[in-house]
């Protein structure tokens, strides 16, 4: 007697592709933030970087006593800057006055294209900043 083979219908099996890593192939390339250097509305003051890990401004960083670190004097230039989304934007404080008249304003600090300048904005929500392609 002859061996009979049973017909088996072909079945296509598929898998759903689930990416494991995010890679910005082209969407974030050359993307720039636009923000206005406007902290303090033109009043001269000083900028300190949030460096001690404690919430709020703590004095003493200039002398190395565990406070936030002094960066530079500052006067808003009022210019809308374009900065790469890969640049460092630092948390800091813009300070005017002294004693009872001291005013502390949280700011985002950008050090400029050569990392040698101080530009600040009071708009801390970077997700709300306008972005453009360079």
């Amino acid at each position: 007697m002859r061996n009979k083979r049973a017909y088996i219908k072909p079945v296509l099996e598929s898998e759903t592709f689930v990416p494991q890593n995010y890679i910005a192939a082209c969407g974030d390339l050359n993307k720039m933030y636009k923000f206005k250097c406007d902290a303090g509305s033109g009043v001269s003051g000083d900028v300190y970087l949030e460096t001690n890990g404690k919430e709020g401004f703590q004095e003493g960083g200039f002398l190395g006593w565990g406070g936030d670190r002094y960066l530079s004097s500052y006067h808003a230039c009022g210019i809308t800057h374009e900065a790469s989304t890969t640049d460092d934007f630092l948390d800091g404080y813009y300070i005017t006055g002294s004693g009872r008249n001291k005013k502390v304003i949280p700011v985002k600090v950008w050090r400029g294209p050569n990392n040698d300048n101080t530009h600040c904005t009071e708009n801390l929500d970077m997700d709300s900043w306008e972005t453009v392609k360079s």
Side-chain angles (χ1 to χ4, degrees), residues 24 27 34 37 51 57 62 69-70 73 82 84 86 112 119 125 131:
K34 288 180 79 171
C37 179
T51 56
F57 174 66
F62 184 73
R69 185 171 63 89
Y70 174 79
S73 60
E82 288 189 8
S84 173
T86 60
H119 300 281
D125 182 11
T131 56

Side-chain angles (χ1 to χ4, degrees), residues 66-86:
D68 293 309
R69 185 171 63 89
Y70 174 79
L71 178 63
S72 69
S73 60
Y74 170 78
H75 183 273
C77 66
I79 295 172
T80 298
H81 296 284
E82 288 189 8
S84 173
T85 55
T86 60

Side-chain angles (χ1 to χ4, degrees), residues 17-74:
F17 173 73
V18 180
Q20 298 297 316
N21 293 319
Y22 170 78
I23 299 173
C26 61
D28 290 339
L29 190 61
N30 300 322
K31 197 172 180 183
M32 306 289 278
Y33 283 124
K34 288 180 79 171
F35 71 96
K36 190 168 186 178
C37 179
D38 61 357
S41 303
V43 177
S44 293
D46 294 313
V47 174
Y48 288 76
L49 295 179
E50 173 56 64
T51 56
N52 66 357
K54 297 176 185 172
E55 189 172 326
F57 174 66
Q58 284 86 43
E59 293 188 65
F62 184 73
L63 301 173
W65 294 337
D68 293 309
R69 185 171 63 89
Y70 174 79
L71 178 63
S72 69
S73 60
Y74 170 78

Side-chain angles (χ1 to χ4, degrees), residues 35-43 74 76 92-94 96 103-109 119-126 128-129:
F35 71 96
K36 190 168 186 178
C37 179
D38 61 357
S41 303
V43 177
Y74 170 78
Y93 303 98
Y94 166 68
T96 60
K103 188 173 182 182
V104 177
I105 301 170
V107 293
K108 284 289 184 190
V109 180
H119 300 281
C120 301
T121 181
E122 294 179 34
N123 182 356
L124 304 179
D125 182 11
M126 292 176 68
S128 71
W129 293 2

Side-chain angles (χ1 to χ4, degrees), residues 12-20:
L12 177 63
E13 293 184 21
S14 64
E15 295 179 25
T16 303
F17 173 73
V18 180
Q20 298 297 316

